[in-house]
Amino acid sequence: MKFRLLSLYPDQMNIYADRGNIIFLRNRCLWRGIEFELTACGLGERFEPSGHEMLYIGGGQDRDQRTVAGDLVETKREAIGECLAGGTVMLAVCGGYQLLGESYESGSDQIGGLGLVDLKTVRGDGPRLIGPVAIETDLDGSRRMLAGFENHGGLTWLGPQAEPLGRVIAGHGNNGSDGFEGVRSGNLIGTYLHGPLLPKNAWLADHLIETGLKNAYGEDVELRPLEDGLETAAHRVALAAAISGR
Amino acid sequence: MIRTKVAAARWIGRLSRATGRGGGTTLPGRVLLKLDPDAIDKLGASLRNGSTVISATNGKTTTAAMLAAILRAAGREPVHNRAGSNMTWGVATALLEQRGDEGLFEVDEAWLPEVAERLRPKTILLANLFRDQLDRYGETEALADAWVEMAGALADSTSFVLNADDPLIADIGRHTGPSTTYFGIDDDGRAVTELQHASEAKQCRVCGEPLLYERAFVGHLGHYSCPACGLARPEPDLSATEVKLLGMDGLKATIETATGSHSLDLPLPGLYNLYNALAAIATAQAIGIPPGDSVAALSRMKAVFGRAERIRIGPSELSILLIKNPAGANEVLRTLELEEGPLTLWFALNDNIADGRDISWVWDADFELLSGHVGNVVCSGTRAAEMALRLKYAGWPEQDLTVVRDIDRSLEVVLEDGPERVFALPTYTALLELRELLADQDSATRYWQS
């Protein structure tokens, strides 16, 4: 089996150590004897929609995000749409998450997004929403916790067609007021839990790998459990940091 | 009026030290600024020969200590916030408690514009901007924008010393006055050909197109140009050539200036310390000290606490190397790569406010560099588990990784078998905790008394 990951704009959308997610996925595939293949797709480049188990896009600085937004719509929207229709897994983090929606509004400035999910983002007047987060989600059928860190100026509002990734237990989430965090739609996940969120949530990494492989190789795919002592400890400490507000 | 307020704040400082409540390196300044928000302006104006201000993401404390050593060798005793307390209250405390004709202040990146506006320094050194504590400082580009604005406002009155090799810093030179000097490294042999993945400044600050790097030395510091608009790295007035890295023992280099060349023998390790030395020598020149004198003073320099300091504990020698962001950590890792392995390592990763609550950065640092070169590894601090996890995913053998959250206990564990050498890599607040512990054990003196 082979897990093929396509990383979108790794040179621009990497502000919060997004490569931690990729390192994490890679090792967890290799340790199970699953081949891992990483391809990058940058500014101005196009990609074939077939042959990817997962797409990843991270967060970027304001200037980079603006550059990427235009390019994304122009050169990659169709291929991403085809991938998602075919059941490819996608994880979009922070700035990448914002770009999934219709638009990003900042004052009189409006950046068009991919329009793949019913959500929009507006730059708030208040301070950035920064701090540790804990959310509860039923992504894999049972109630699970996700721990992470958020740092965003944009406030995201889900439309009636969109389903949130989870409910905020501690932290701000999409907009600091409606109690929801992230978005999910089929095998697509968008979230403000930025940068290396998979190392803090090994179960989510495995969920993404398994879902991607099932889509390619059939429902029989089952991941072998790994020795996860450190992973579990890191998850617990990250959750505690958010919940205790320490 | 300022005199009464100064007296009150000084008294608080003595009280806070007498009662053992903290080092008294910030409290008097905080009190003074409460009593008189313009105290820095007033006390700063009383420094007869003006002030020199240093800011950067990495190397502020070391560079300031280097410059202080150079000044001292020249018989000049500056008012200096030497304990590394570098926000307004730290500057105010130094101004309160020390007397002198000139000031030497390291200033936090985010506080720099305000402090500079108040102090109106004669000279400002801007050494580098790296990705650091995004939860506190925000984006690097936004910080660079704020510095550009400050430089424009001070262009008529302040001399700037800038790092030619950092495009974010060199760009500020488009807004400064005529007395701007540049420093940089000119040694092809020391360069890496590819930019590190967490590099800043991939785009030209003038036109936004991607920069072309001919070589990079530390992170995004290197030789760059913009093929689109023709922007080029400024020609440095002071540069280092023939660089030889000697692991933890330090480095040798030739310092080239307009008036001649000098052999630098620096007892501090790594290219990042070469940048610190260049910055100090260039700044010293801007305030009247010939480079030859600075080079001589630096060759006699001892490490600043936590910046490559070595301490003996029983049979073991502890080398302390502060890590706090990817670029700085990578330079520490590159230095350790030159040491004979397997290395005994002690990490302390804290997520207190002064460290940055967000520890994402450990995933951007290249711990992979040392896989296969490490022996016993102990991880401590509030986020010890994620530190160990990062190392596991960098290919370090999991059976060599021990997690002991408590810093005190973890030190005992790493020193248990009396290893000859231990490399200690703490984040900022963990370094302070380590210092307290070592002071209790009498193995070192308190840093604010030095």
Side-chain angles (χ1 to χ4, degrees):
Chain A
M1 273 190 303
K2 197 186 235 182
F3 189 79
R4 293 163 298 181
L5 175 64
L6 181 74
S7 173
L8 297 168
Y9 309 101
D11 288 340
Q12 287 80 24
M13 303 300 271
N14 65 9
I15 188 168
Y16 298 109
D18 289 275
R19 84 166 172 151
N21 292 324
I22 296 180
I23 295 171
F24 204 74
L25 290 168
R26 176 177 181 272
N27 279 305
R28 294 183 77 79
C29 284
L30 296 182
W31 290 336
R32 292 177 165 114
I34 301 164
E35 268 183 78
F36 182 86
E37 189 180 287
L38 176 66
T39 322
C41 189
L43 285 174
E45 295 172 351
R46 292 174 190 274
F47 68 92
E48 276 300 314
S50 63
H52 312 288
E53 273 63 66
M54 178 174 167
L55 311 183
Y56 180 83
I57 181 167
Q61 301 207 47
D62 280 349
R63 182 214 286 249
D64 291 328
Q65 189 167 336
R66 223 168 293 133
T67 313
V68 159
D71 188 77
L72 200 52
V73 173
E74 203 176 304
T75 65
K76 300 180 184 64
R77 170 155 54 189
E78 256 174 73
I80 294 174
E82 268 184 60
C83 281
L84 294 177
T88 300
V89 170
M90 180 168 181
L91 178 61
V93 171
C94 203
Y97 165 41
Q98 295 173 337
L99 294 177
L100 295 177
E102 301 296 334
S103 61
Y104 183 99
E105 260 178 65
S106 172
S108 56
D109 201 21
Q110 181 161 349
I111 306 173
L114 284 168
L116 290 169
V117 200
D118 184 15
L119 64 84
K120 62 176 187 179
T121 302
V122 180
R123 184 63 172 257
D125 304 329
R128 292 177 71 87
L129 304 181
I130 303 175
V133 208
I135 70 169
E136 187 185 67
T137 172
D138 59 0
L139 196 61
D140 70 348
S142 56
R143 290 203 320 182
R144 303 292 292 257
M145 296 291 282
L146 284 174
F149 201 95
E150 63 184 326
N151 183 349
H152 51 108
L155 306 180
T156 294
W157 304 92
L158 303 186
Q161 310 296 317
E163 187 188 349
L165 171 63
R167 200 167 60 80
V168 176
I169 303 297
H172 305 287
N174 281 341
N175 47 54
S177 47
D178 69 11
F180 293 123
E181 206 295 313
V183 76
R184 55 188 283 207
S185 165
N187 288 340
L188 165 68
I189 292 174
T191 178
Y192 274 122
L193 272 57
H194 73 210
L197 83 137
L198 298 182
K200 291 177 180 64
N201 303 283
W203 73 264
L204 178 61
D206 287 353
H207 174 78
L208 297 173
I209 295 170
E210 192 170 273
T211 310
L213 290 174
K214 276 184 172 161
N215 188 53
Y217 299 93
E219 285 301 311
D220 297 342
V221 172
E222 208 176 309
L223 294 188
R224 178 166 64 77
L226 297 172
E227 185 56 61
D228 274 343
L230 286 175
E231 286 79 352
T232 308
H235 175 67
R236 286 208 185 113
V237 175
L239 272 183
I243 290 168
S244 73
R246 184 191 52 76
Chain B
M1 265 315 278
I2 183 87
R3 224 178 271 165
T4 343
K5 291 166 184 166
V6 163
R10 273 198 189 122
W11 179 77
I12 300 271
R14 279 199 295 272
L15 192 67
S16 88
R17 269 185 301 268
T19 54
R21 296 163 69 101
T25 58
T26 66
L27 187 61
R30 281 180 197 269
V31 171
L32 179 64
L33 292 174
K34 270 262 152 46
L35 295 172
D36 185 348
D38 296 328
I40 290 181
D41 317 38
K42 293 172 187 164
L43 293 174
S46 70
L47 295 168
R48 199 150 31 105
N49 297 331
S51 297
T52 302
V53 163
I54 294 174
S55 198
T57 305
N58 286 323
K60 288 183 288 289
T61 303
T62 302
T63 307
M66 286 177 170
L67 200 50
I70 291 169
L71 286 171
R72 215 170 295 127
R76 289 158 62 171
E77 194 64 50
V79 171
H80 173 199
N81 55 338
R82 64 175 63 82
S85 173
N86 57 23
M87 311 208 190
T88 45
W89 44 87
V91 173
T93 302
L95 281 165
L96 256 181
E97 301 201 322
Q98 301 167 32
R99 278 168 215 279
D101 294 332
E102 65 185 310
L104 170 60
F105 305 106
E106 66 159 285
V107 177
D108 177 89
E109 304 90 283
W111 286 93
L112 177 66
E114 183 186 337
V115 171
E117 196 197 318
R118 292 185 177 282
L119 270 180
R120 314 291 301 186
K122 261 174 82 171
T123 309
I124 295 181
L125 160 66
L126 302 176
N128 57 63
L129 271 177
F130 289 100
R131 198 177 280 199
D132 183 25
Q133 296 191 27
L134 292 158
D135 54 325
R136 199 154 77 80
Y137 294 117
E139 297 179 355
T140 318
E141 291 247 359
L143 209 49
D145 292 342
W147 284 14
V148 161
E149 201 179 308
M150 167 198 77
L154 295 174
D156 294 336
S157 56
T158 302
S159 307
F160 281 83
V161 180
L162 305 176
N163 187 343
D165 293 351
D166 185 341
L168 289 168
I169 298 295
D171 172 69
I172 295 167
R174 294 192 294 128
H175 308 272
T176 54
S179 66
T180 300
T181 51
Y182 295 92
F183 61 90
I185 294 180
D186 279 320
D187 182 338
D188 301 356
R190 294 268 60 94
V192 290
T193 45
E194 262 183 62
L195 274 186
Q196 285 163 4
H197 50 83
S199 289
E200 311 303 333
K202 285 174 181 140
Q203 277 92 30
C204 174
R205 291 272 294 168
V206 179
C207 71
E209 291 298 311
L211 287 177
L212 188 70
Y213 270 85
E214 210 177 310
R215 52 188 71 91
F217 298 108
V218 173
H220 65 279
L221 311 187
H223 296 180
Y224 54 87
S225 60
C226 175
C229 74
L231 170 115
R233 166 193 182 244
E235 193 59 43
D237 304 286
L238 196 128
S239 67
T241 61
E242 300 174 289
V243 182
K244 228 191 222 140
L245 297 178
L246 310 170
M248 286 297 292
D249 291 332
L251 61 92
K252 289 180 194 291
T254 302
I255 306 298
E256 306 279 1
T257 74
T259 52
S261 58
H262 309 273
S263 298
L264 172 70
D265 199 343
L266 191 72
L268 293 175
L271 277 182
Y272 55 109
N273 276 314
L274 178 58
Y275 271 115
N276 294 336
L278 281 170
I281 298 165
T283 309
Q285 189 175 22
I287 57 176
I289 298 176
D293 296 2
S294 298
V295 166
L298 289 182
S299 299
R300 296 190 299 267
M301 169 115 196
K302 275 197 269 170
V304 189
F305 181 76
R307 277 78 172 177
E309 194 188 25
R310 302 181 193 193
I311 287 171
R312 180 149 292 283
I313 303 176
S316 307
E317 183 190 68
L318 194 69
S319 297
I320 307 171
L321 298 142
L322 173 73
I323 54 167
K324 53 178 189 165
N325 51 39
N330 282 346
E331 292 318 303
V332 165
L333 296 169
R334 275 164 73 177
T335 298
L336 292 180
E337 212 184 353
L338 301 176
E339 294 296 310
E340 199 182 319
L343 306 173
T344 303
L345 290 160
W346 176 84
F347 287 91
L349 176 62
N350 275 355
D351 66 349
N352 296 316
I353 288 165
D355 302 294
R357 299 283 336 255
D358 186 2
I359 56 162
S360 297
W361 68 270
V362 300
W363 293 90
D364 251 347
D366 295 329
F367 293 101
E368 285 80 1
L369 277 178
L370 292 187
S371 70
H373 197 56
V374 294
N376 189 23
V377 179
V378 175
C379 297
S380 70
T382 53
R383 301 304 285 270
E386 192 159 331
M387 187 69 241
L389 191 65
R390 173 68 188 100
L391 302 177
K392 172 180 171 182
Y393 281 78
W396 297 25
E398 193 172 357
Q399 66 270 17
D400 295 339
L401 303 171
T402 312
V403 176
V404 185
R405 189 180 182 282
D406 180 66
I407 285 184
D408 199 349
R409 273 273 304 130
S410 70
L411 267 184
E412 285 171 26
V413 171
V414 77
L415 294 171
E416 214 159 39
D417 299 331
E420 201 178 310
R421 294 202 302 169
V422 177
F423 296 96
L425 282 62
T427 58
Y428 183 69
T429 66
L431 171 65
L432 298 184
E433 280 182 64
L434 175 63
R435 184 68 196 178
E436 285 284 315
L437 281 172
L438 295 178
D440 287 350
Q441 291 167 10
D442 236 358
S443 346
T445 49
R446 285 178 175 261
Y447 67 105
W448 48 76
Q449 288 170 355
S450 61

